[in-house]
Amino acid sequence: MAVSEAFMVNQLSLQEQDEAVFPDAEQLITEDDTPVDNFASEKQQRLLTSALFSSLKDHQPFIAAANVGIYHTFPGTAIVPDVFVSFGVAVPKDWWEKQNRCYLVWKFGKPPEIAIEVVSNKVGKELTDKLAIYERMRVSYYAVYDPNRQLGDAPLRLFELQGMQYREMPEPWMEQVSLGLMLWEGDFEGSPNTWLRWQDGEGNLLLTGDEQAEQERDRAAQAQADLERERERADRLAAYLRSQGIDPDQLPQ
C-alpha cells in the first residue's frame, strides 16, 4: 500500500540520480513525555498488542504498537492512535535513533493497515477529525471502540477504505488482513470486564502469551488426570482378576 499521491508529489523530491530525498527526522517531535491515557485504556491497548505478538509470531513480520506517533505528511503533526498494526514491516534494530522512534510513513513505504481508537471522552473526535486523517493516510481499516457508548449506541464501529472513502462495515471482519474484532466478556490480568479482542476467521480468540500458557497447563493437567484414571482402571481390573483366581501378570500375550 502506498502513501497518497498528493503526499508523494508535494512532499518528496527527486535528486538527479532519481533517489528520494526524505524529510529530516531531527525536525520531528517523536515524543513529548506527556501522559495521555488512563488505566483502562492502557490495559486494553496492551491486550490488543500482546495477543498479536503471541499469536502471529510465526507469520510475516509486523508492527503492533500502542500510543506511538505516525507521521504521514511533512511538515505536520503526528497522529497517535491507541493501537495500530502494519504488516510486512519491522521496527529497526536501532530504534533509539531519531528517525526510528515513531512510524514515518515515507520511511516504511506504506501506512499501517489497521488503526484503532479507544474512546474515553467526547472530545477525541474519533468519528470526525481522526477518521478523516486515517482516510487521507489510506489506512485500510479504522476501528472505534466506545466501551461507554459516549459517541452513540454502538460500542464498536469498523470502517474499511473503499476507493477514496471509508465505508462502515456491518461485521467486524477485515478480509485483507484475515483478522476480526469482537467484544469479549472475561478476565484479563485480574480485571473482569468487556474487552476488545482479535479473532480469526473461525471466530476463535487470538490468545495472549499468558492465556496460551494457561491453556497448555490445562491440557497437561487433563492429560495427567486421564493417565491417573487409566491407572486406576487397570488396578481395578487386576484386582478383579485376582479375585477370580487369575494372575494378571501371567495373562497370555
Side-chain angles (χ1 to χ4, degrees), residues 3 8 42 85 88 96 118 124-125 136 181-182 197 204-205 215 238 243 246 251:
V3 292
M8 294 297 292
E42 186 276 334
V85 186
W96 284 113
V118 180
K125 300 181 179 179
R136 289 196 302 270
L181 290 166
M182 66 179 296
R197 300 290 303 263
N204 301 311
L205 285 176
Q215 195 175 74
S243 71
I246 301 173
L251 294 175

Side-chain angles (χ1 to χ4, degrees), residues 77-151:
T77 57
I79 186 168
V80 186
D82 286 308
V83 173
F84 76 82
V85 186
S86 186
F87 291 99
V89 295
V91 175
K93 293 181 178 180
D94 52 345
W95 55 15
W96 284 113
E97 295 293 328
K98 182 75 171 180
Q99 70 271 16
N100 296 330
R101 292 186 185 183
C102 60
Y103 195 97
L104 310 182
V105 171
W106 56 86
K107 182 175 178 64
F108 286 98
K110 56 185 283 293
E113 277 76 21
I114 305 170
I116 300 175
E117 295 286 357
V118 180
V119 179
S120 56
N121 52 54
K122 295 183 179 180
V123 300
K125 300 181 179 179
E126 286 84 1
L127 293 177
T128 54
D129 293 12
K130 288 183 178 178
L131 183 147
I133 291 173
Y134 292 126
E135 188 177 69
R136 289 196 302 270
M137 197 192 304
R138 316 300 293 155
V139 174
S140 300
Y141 297 99
Y142 174 47
V144 177
Y145 178 41
D146 186 10
N148 295 319
R149 292 172 170 81
Q150 299 195 68
L151 303 182

